[in-house]
Amino acid sequence: MIPIITTISAKKLIGVSLNMSFIDNKTAELWRSFMPRRKEIANNISNEMYSLQVYDENFFSQFNPVTEFKKWALVEVTDFNTIPGGMETFELEEGMYAVFYYKGSPANATQVFSYIMKEWLPQSGYVLDNRPHFEVLGEKYKNGSDESEEEIWIPIR
């Protein structure tokens, strides 16, 4: 897996969030709450969805699978003029990212992220930046399928 290094501009996002840990993973619950309501977001830019994680600064250097982080299910919007009830806004700041294109089952995610953090990152010349990590789930994303495709965005500097 060889990433593309890119800098993104700031993005406005709307969606829902849950606190969770790797041991107490509530990703399915989060997306079950979001998917039936995503059409309520009237000013979305595309059909892409964002699975976004906000980790504390020392999350990876002092990794513990029970440490909580906030995970979001989001879509990008043009503005925050209309926010559906029960949803929140999130402003993703601009910054540099390593973008990995992944094709395969979400069941293999542990191996993919392990490779990125333990092999690619230490050899890359970059360091992990303290900004959100996210995955872009586009038209080729098929939940649970070996044919699913997504982008994995890792913040670097």
Side-chain angles (χ1 to χ4, degrees):
M1 278 184 119
I2 299 172
I4 293 172
I5 307 302
T6 189
T7 299
I8 61 166
S9 56
K11 296 180 180 294
K12 291 178 173 29
L13 305 161
I14 292 178
V16 295
S17 67
L18 275 178
N19 289 328
M20 64 184 73
S21 69
F22 285 109
I23 293 292
D24 185 22
N25 189 329
K26 299 177 184 172
T27 301
E29 176 184 338
L30 174 67
W31 284 96
R32 274 194 305 269
S33 72
F34 179 69
M35 290 304 288
R37 300 195 58 216
R38 77 179 235 223
K39 297 288 187 208
E40 295 175 33
I41 303 169
N43 54 343
N44 54 320
I45 290 177
S46 72
N47 288 328
E48 292 179 334
M49 296 175 290
Y50 289 72
S51 179
L52 184 143
Q53 297 76 228
V54 177
Y55 302 107
D56 287 338
E57 188 170 355
N58 297 319
F59 186 88
F60 291 102
S61 63
Q62 300 170 2
F63 182 74
N64 184 332
V66 299
T67 302
E68 284 197 342
F69 59 92
K70 184 175 270 196
K71 188 163 193 161
W72 293 79
L74 301 152
V75 295
E76 186 177 4
V77 295
T78 54
D79 56 59
F80 293 142
N81 294 339
T82 305
I83 304 162
M87 292 197 189
E88 303 171 74
T89 63
F90 188 94
E91 292 191 56
L92 181 63
E93 65 184 86
E94 69 177 55
M96 187 184 315
Y97 281 85
V99 184
F100 295 84
Y101 293 91
Y102 173 65
K103 180 177 181 178
S105 170
N108 298 327
T110 302
Q111 293 99 333
V112 172
F113 284 100
S114 180
Y115 163 77
I116 292 169
M117 296 303 199
K118 293 179 180 177
E119 294 181 41
W120 179 83
L121 189 60
Q123 298 171 15
S124 69
Y126 297 100
V127 294
L128 198 58
D129 201 4
N130 187 31
R131 289 179 288 112
H133 298 227
F134 61 92
E135 295 78 48
V136 176
L137 313 175
E139 290 182 18
K140 294 183 179 181
Y141 179 77
K142 299 174 182 84
N143 188 28
S145 169
D146 288 339
E147 297 301 310
S148 184
E149 296 181 34
E150 64 187 86
E151 299 172 3
I152 300 169
W153 291 64
I154 305 295
I156 55 172
R157 55 182 165 83

